[in-house]
Amino acid sequence: MKSSVNKAQVIKQSIDSKKNEIIHLLRVFVQAESTQGNERGAQSLVIETLQQMGLEVDVWEPDAKEITSHRYFASSRTEFRGSPNVVGVLKGTGGGRSIILNGHIDVVPAGDVTQWRDHPYSGVVKDGKMYGRGVTDMKGGNVALLLAIQAIQEANIALKGDVIFQSVIEEESGGTGTLAALLRGYKADAAIIPEPTNMKFFPKQQGSMWFKLHVKGLSAHGGTRYEGVSAIEKSMTVINHIKELEKIRNDSITDPLYQTIPIPIPINIGKIHGGDWPSSVPDLVTVEGRFGVSPEETIEEAKEEMKQWIRRLAEKDPWFEEFPVTLEWFGARWLPGSLDPNHSFMQLLGDKYKEVIGAPPVIEASPWGTDGGLLTEIGSIPTVVFGPGVTEKAHFPNEYIELEKVFSCAEVIAHTIIDWCGDEKG
Amino acid sequence: MKSSVNKAQVIKQSIDSKKNEIIHLLRVFVQAESTQGNERGAQSLVIETLQQMGLEVDVWEPDAKEITSHRYFASSRTEFRGSPNVVGVLKGTGGGRSIILNGHIDVVPAGDVTQWRDHPYSGVVKDGKMYGRGVTDMKGGNVALLLAIQAIQEANIALKGDVIFQSVIEEESGGTGTLAALLRGYKADAAIIPEPTNMKFFPKQQGSMWFKLHVKGLSAHGGTRYEGVSAIEKSMTVINHIKELEKIRNDSITDPLYQTIPIPIPINIGKIHGGDWPSSVPDLVTVEGRFGVSPEETIEEAKEEMKQWIRRLAEKDPWFEEFPVTLEWFGARWLPGSLDPNHSFMQLLGDKYKEVIGAPPVIEASPWGTDGGLLTEIGSIPTVVFGPGVTEKAHFPNEYIELEKVFSCAEVIAHTIIDWCGDEKG
């Protein structure tokens, strides 16, 4: 016990001594505005940091031809020149279990800049919180991973298993970065993704995919609108029909991890547009949305259920018999992910959480997809999403992270790595 | 009576002798694609024709400064260089009543060209019908007016009152051409507009105006959509609310002229767009539509009723108390027009119709606005809309007109002009 207590003290001291350095690192990460297509600057900072830490660094741009033909490829672009993936490996001495520490470097756009109190890429710190686009989703998590590794190095602990740190592109657009890392051969016995869970454990992640519906009408002059059929009115029937499906799908979910979540797997209607003249009856409306996929079903099963449901519109209104609504799946897609909450890696992470935080972790299913779906589905890697940021601020103005959570998260992860990979001297 | 019968024969013979010439004229009018901003070519043909007929020709471009500041100005543009109005006057000998013969030269765009069997500007004739964009709305009516004047000239009839032929721009965009003609001083004791009524008489015309609504929501990630408020869902409440207003307004209409019309003054929802990301809860939806205005009410009264009704959304859903829907009137607007069906000009036109066609005319209220609203509202000119084309084909692919209707219409109008303006020798 004495050696373990000492080790914990050393890790804690090491993290404490590095706080200012990590705050600085997080700020320059945030300032390196790494929206889709502009990841190179931030990745250069990651490379520099990994090299200073003495890790084996691997930098590559996903091969467009190979990646776009993969069945799980989904992105709004098909060319990745200038958008490198970065991996840093801390090689183990052998005989231990390996771990992937995965975080994405891409951030969503800042949106309406006038809604930000400070510049979206300021990285300004106030009352223990750092502000900026991407600070919670998920550069705060990324520096927590780096800090965990640095603390282990500082404590002179030689791990048996490999630690594979991944700074990937394209998570916000469907996971091409993590898919590329899997195709490059990076596998491990477990993985942590420190997306903003507010320190909760998410062993299961909701998948999601985008759909587009075309709803038809019949044009006429607005002054004799009764001679036409409004595609806007018909689209209201379609949207209500989809809300029914959402209810049916969610009523069937009994997993206790979803107990506190009002709608475990929502179907979100995100966009609508239709008609081209105020004085004409609109003959076409397009509806776009996000379809939540349960961790217990496949993408294919979810697609089939939606397809059958849309066909049933004709039961509500014979119009749809003659003019069926067309359903298209397009753009981004995040695979669902699932890990048995009783898996040994979850148990270990939970134990370390209790030791560091002094209370058991809250365990839930995530309301959004992460790259965890790809790691479990393609790599069969047990994956837990656990990070310091807060979901409510991701993708919104005045995004922030509480810095103390970054440090606590790093401490939990450092101890988890040591026990999972094995301490050569321990 | 004998002289009258002879006059009728002469007019009929004159029209018959000019059929081929008029078909040719209509074809070149149609071929001169005169969409908004491109009216000059077609107007040149009108000028040439009027000069050949020996009329006093007046050509001018509406003065941007003067016209745009007028309270009834409504257009999608504010500059009219290159878009001339044309007026041709057949001066009377004096002591008679004057008449305006008003037709617009502008046509709406052809739309999806693939839906046309022939080129939209072909002017091809098949089975007694000419096809092309603008042939029914309303170049067929325009040539009927020219033919009526030519027949009177051919019969060597000297009229006492002036005949003022107007080929105006911008009817499809809110009436700037007719407004400009009124401001230039053109007035008369009566007016005919041969818009496509399919030979019905429209002494009353529905006005209309465009509105735009902004419906607010609250953004959130689609995976936790219950944390947001969907502006698309709220817009469905707004659209249903407007349908209620449409019902209330139409239930109150008792005018027998609307007896056969399912919805006398429709409110048409023509366009919708909202949201900017399938995975986000949309926080703004914009709805655009056309608000029908009864001949018995003013534009201002109709606007006020809509404004009050939109305010009452808060009674249905407290959301609208905190985030009121904003209402904006924009773009095109057509004033309602109304003439007492017992007016002497209506009686005369009806008598002439019976003489030529052999049956009484069908009298209805028009389901759409015309420049008649401006002529009655600003010029206090008794106006009847009566023309040869068919409404159902206006603004649609494969627009056509039955050529025999053009000739019959010209005959009715020629006799009406003679009796209204007075025959110097008669």
Side-chain angles (χ1 to χ4, degrees):
Chain A
M1 277 304 288
K2 189 151 189 300
S3 121
S4 168
V5 169
N6 284 346
K7 207 187 286 176
Q9 282 171 343
V10 173
I11 293 290
K12 177 117 193 65
Q13 282 160 11
S14 165
I15 284 175
D16 284 345
S17 72
K18 284 178 169 294
K19 282 183 176 176
N20 283 337
E21 200 179 306
I22 284 297
I23 291 171
H24 173 75
L25 186 66
L26 180 52
R27 182 178 294 120
V28 297
F29 274 14
V30 169
Q31 289 172 346
E33 186 178 336
S34 51
T35 47
Q36 190 187 39
N38 304 302
E39 310 88 344
R40 199 203 296 257
Q43 293 290 54
S44 300
L45 297 168
V46 174
I47 294 166
E48 199 182 302
T49 308
L50 295 174
Q51 284 170 340
Q52 281 166 1
M53 289 164 64
L55 271 59
E56 289 175 14
V57 180
D58 183 15
V59 181
W60 80 102
E61 292 161 358
D63 178 66
K65 208 171 145 186
E66 181 197 33
I67 203 95
T68 57
S69 62
H70 193 278
R71 63 188 285 245
Y72 284 135
F73 172 79
S75 176
S76 52
R77 60 173 168 163
T78 54
E79 180 51 69
F80 302 91
R81 267 191 288 258
S83 297
N85 256 351
V86 177
V87 169
V89 179
L90 179 69
K91 282 300 281 183
T93 56
R97 290 175 294 195
S98 58
I99 190 166
I100 282 174
L101 306 174
N102 174 291
H104 65 84
I105 198 70
D106 56 311
V107 301
V108 297
D112 181 2
V113 176
T114 64
Q115 292 188 46
W116 287 78
R117 277 185 301 272
D118 297 289
H119 187 278
Y121 297 100
S122 68
V124 68
V125 175
K126 287 174 190 170
D127 297 330
K129 294 169 182 162
M130 185 181 288
Y131 289 82
R133 169 56 78 235
V135 72
T136 195
D137 185 11
M138 59 175 286
K139 288 171 176 174
N142 294 352
V143 299
L145 297 177
L146 294 169
L147 180 57
I149 300 171
Q150 288 174 358
I152 293 168
Q153 292 178 313
E154 194 93 348
N156 281 312
I157 293 166
L159 299 171
K160 293 185 196 163
D162 295 348
V163 177
I164 302 159
F165 171 87
Q166 302 182 330
S167 178
V168 297
I169 61 169
E170 289 283 308
E171 192 278 338
E172 298 289 359
S173 314
T176 299
T178 291
L179 178 59
L182 283 161
L183 296 181
R184 200 163 172 94
Y186 288 106
K187 298 277 166 74
D189 299 311
I192 294 176
I193 303 179
E195 289 265 13
T197 70
N198 199 20
M199 303 295 275
K200 293 175 186 173
F201 288 10
F202 289 171
K204 297 187 180 183
Q205 304 113 49
Q206 182 185 143
S208 66
M209 50 192 177
W210 288 354
F211 62 89
K212 191 181 286 187
L213 300 169
H214 295 291
V215 184
K216 293 185 190 71
L218 183 66
S219 195
H221 189 282
T224 51
R225 74 166 189 78
Y226 39 84
E227 289 171 355
V229 175
S230 166
I232 291 176
E233 282 182 33
K234 293 299 176 194
S235 73
M236 286 162 61
T237 305
V238 173
I239 289 170
N240 285 327
H241 186 66
I242 290 173
K243 280 195 84 167
E244 275 179 54
L245 176 62
E246 184 190 53
K247 181 151 179 10
I248 291 168
R249 283 170 56 79
N250 282 279
D251 283 353
S252 74
I253 288 176
T254 53
D255 189 329
L257 291 188
Y258 280 115
Q259 211 164 1
T260 61
I261 298 175
I263 309 173
I265 46 167
I267 307 177
N268 182 68
I269 305 294
K271 288 179 73 173
I272 189 166
H273 68 270
D276 47 22
W277 192 250
S279 288
S280 294
V281 176
D283 63 356
L284 180 65
V285 165
T286 304
V287 170
E288 289 177 21
R290 167 200 183 277
F291 196 93
V293 181
S294 152
E296 315 305 334
E297 69 183 341
T298 65
I299 287 277
E300 288 70 25
E301 284 163 353
K303 282 185 179 175
E304 185 61 24
E305 190 173 2
M306 175 71 158
K307 184 175 149 192
Q308 295 303 334
W309 187 255
I310 292 296
R311 277 196 190 154
R312 292 184 57 189
L313 271 164
E315 297 170 16
K316 292 218 166 98
D317 182 344
W319 173 260
F320 297 113
E321 188 115 40
E322 199 178 348
F323 300 95
V325 168
T326 60
L327 167 65
E328 185 189 325
W329 302 98
F330 78 108
R333 183 189 51 207
W334 293 266
L335 297 180
S338 185
L339 175 64
D340 181 349
N342 299 314
H343 189 279
S344 60
F345 182 63
M346 269 289 284
Q347 298 292 339
L348 174 63
L349 190 65
D351 291 344
K352 296 300 152 189
Y353 183 93
K354 261 178 268 178
E355 283 172 26
V356 173
I357 308 294
V362 175
I363 302 174
E364 282 181 3
S366 85
W368 21 254
T370 70
D371 280 352
L374 289 163
L375 293 179
T376 54
E377 179 78 17
I378 300 177
S380 303
I381 304 167
T383 303
V384 181
V385 180
F386 159 61
V390 283
T391 313
E392 298 76 40
K393 293 297 153 187
H395 297 210
F396 290 98
N398 307 307
E399 180 178 344
Y400 70 80
I401 200 166
E402 296 164 274
L403 293 167
E404 276 307 319
K405 295 270 176 71
V406 174
F407 307 134
S408 306
C409 180
E411 202 177 335
V412 174
I413 291 174
H415 286 295
T416 304
I417 293 170
I418 294 166
D419 277 23
W420 182 257
C421 299
D423 177 355
E424 180 69 22
K425 300 172 231 163
Chain B
M1 281 303 290
K2 188 155 188 291
S3 123
S4 168
V5 168
N6 284 347
K7 208 187 284 173
Q9 282 173 340
V10 173
I11 293 290
K12 176 118 190 64
Q13 281 162 8
S14 165
I15 286 174
D16 284 345
S17 72
K18 286 181 169 289
K19 282 183 176 178
N20 282 337
E21 201 179 308
I22 285 294
I23 292 171
H24 174 75
L25 187 65
L26 180 53
R27 182 180 294 121
V28 295
F29 276 12
V30 169
Q31 288 172 347
E33 184 178 337
S34 52
T35 49
Q36 190 187 38
N38 305 302
E39 309 87 345
R40 199 203 295 256
Q43 292 290 56
S44 301
L45 297 168
V46 175
I47 294 166
E48 200 182 299
T49 308
L50 294 174
Q51 284 170 340
Q52 283 168 1
M53 289 162 64
L55 272 58
E56 289 176 16
V57 181
D58 182 15
V59 181
W60 81 101
E61 292 160 0
D63 178 66
K65 209 172 143 184
E66 181 196 32
I67 202 97
T68 59
S69 63
H70 193 279
R71 62 188 286 247
Y72 284 135
F73 172 79
S75 175
S76 53
R77 59 173 168 164
T78 55
E79 179 52 69
F80 302 93
R81 266 193 288 258
S83 297
N85 256 351
V86 177
V87 170
V89 179
L90 180 69
K91 281 301 280 182
T93 55
R97 290 175 294 196
S98 58
I99 190 165
I100 283 174
L101 306 174
N102 175 291
H104 65 85
I105 197 69
D106 56 311
V107 301
V108 297
D112 180 3
V113 176
T114 64
Q115 293 187 45
W116 287 79
R117 276 185 301 273
D118 296 289
H119 187 278
Y121 297 99
S122 68
V124 68
V125 176
K126 287 177 191 168
D127 297 329
K129 295 170 184 162
M130 185 180 291
Y131 289 82
R133 168 57 77 235
V135 75
T136 195
D137 184 11
M138 60 175 283
K139 289 172 174 172
N142 295 352
V143 300
L145 297 177
L146 293 169
L147 179 56
I149 300 170
Q150 290 174 0
I152 293 167
Q153 292 179 313
E154 195 93 348
N156 280 314
I157 294 167
L159 299 172
K160 295 186 194 162
D162 294 347
V163 177
I164 303 159
F165 172 87
Q166 304 183 328
S167 178
V168 297
I169 62 169
E170 287 283 308
E171 191 277 338
E172 298 289 0
S173 313
T176 298
T178 290
L179 178 59
L182 283 160
L183 295 182
R184 202 166 172 93
Y186 289 107
K187 300 275 165 74
D189 299 312
I192 294 176
I193 303 179
E195 288 264 13
T197 71
N198 200 20
M199 303 294 277
K200 294 175 187 173
F201 288 9
F202 290 171
K204 299 190 180 183
Q205 303 113 46
Q206 182 183 145
S208 66
M209 48 192 178
W210 288 355
F211 62 89
K212 192 182 284 189
L213 301 168
H214 295 290
V215 184
K216 293 185 191 71
L218 182 67
S219 193
H221 189 282
T224 52
R225 74 166 190 79
Y226 39 85
E227 290 171 356
V229 175
S230 166
I232 291 176
E233 282 183 33
K234 294 298 176 194
S235 73
M236 286 162 61
T237 304
V238 173
I239 289 170
N240 285 327
H241 186 65
I242 290 173
K243 279 196 86 167
E244 275 179 54
L245 175 63
E246 184 191 55
K247 183 158 180 359
I248 291 167
R249 283 170 55 80
N250 282 281
D251 283 352
S252 74
I253 288 176
T254 53
D255 190 330
L257 291 188
Y258 280 116
Q259 213 164 2
T260 61
I261 299 176
I263 308 173
I265 45 168
I267 307 178
N268 181 67
I269 305 294
K271 285 179 75 174
I272 190 167
H273 69 271
D276 47 22
W277 193 247
S279 288
S280 294
V281 175
D283 62 356
L284 181 66
V285 165
T286 303
V287 170
E288 290 177 21
R290 168 201 184 277
F291 197 93
V293 181
S294 152
E296 315 305 334
E297 70 184 340
T298 65
I299 288 276
E300 288 70 26
E301 285 163 352
K303 281 185 181 175
E304 185 61 24
E305 190 173 3
M306 176 69 160
K307 185 176 148 191
Q308 295 302 334
W309 187 256
I310 292 296
R311 278 198 188 151
R312 292 185 57 187
L313 272 164
E315 297 169 17
K316 294 221 166 95
D317 182 344
W319 172 260
F320 296 113
E321 188 114 39
E322 200 178 349
F323 299 96
V325 168
T326 61
L327 167 64
E328 185 189 326
W329 301 99
F330 78 108
R333 182 188 52 207
W334 293 265
L335 296 180
S338 184
L339 175 64
D340 180 349
N342 297 316
H343 188 279
S344 60
F345 182 65
M346 268 290 285
Q347 299 291 339
L348 174 63
L349 191 64
D351 290 345
K352 297 300 153 190
Y353 183 94
K354 261 176 271 179
E355 285 172 24
V356 172
I357 308 294
V362 175
I363 302 174
E364 282 181 5
S366 85
W368 20 255
T370 69
D371 280 351
L374 288 164
L375 293 179
T376 54
E377 177 79 19
I378 299 178
S380 303
I381 305 167
T383 303
V384 181
V385 181
F386 159 61
V390 283
T391 313
E392 299 75 40
K393 293 297 155 190
H395 298 209
F396 289 97
N398 307 308
E399 180 178 342
Y400 69 80
I401 199 166
E402 294 163 277
L403 294 167
E404 276 307 321
K405 295 270 175 71
V406 173
F407 307 134
S408 306
C409 180
E411 200 175 339
V412 174
I413 291 174
H415 288 293
T416 304
I417 293 170
I418 295 166
D419 277 24
W420 182 257
C421 299
D423 179 354
E424 179 70 20
K425 301 171 233 163

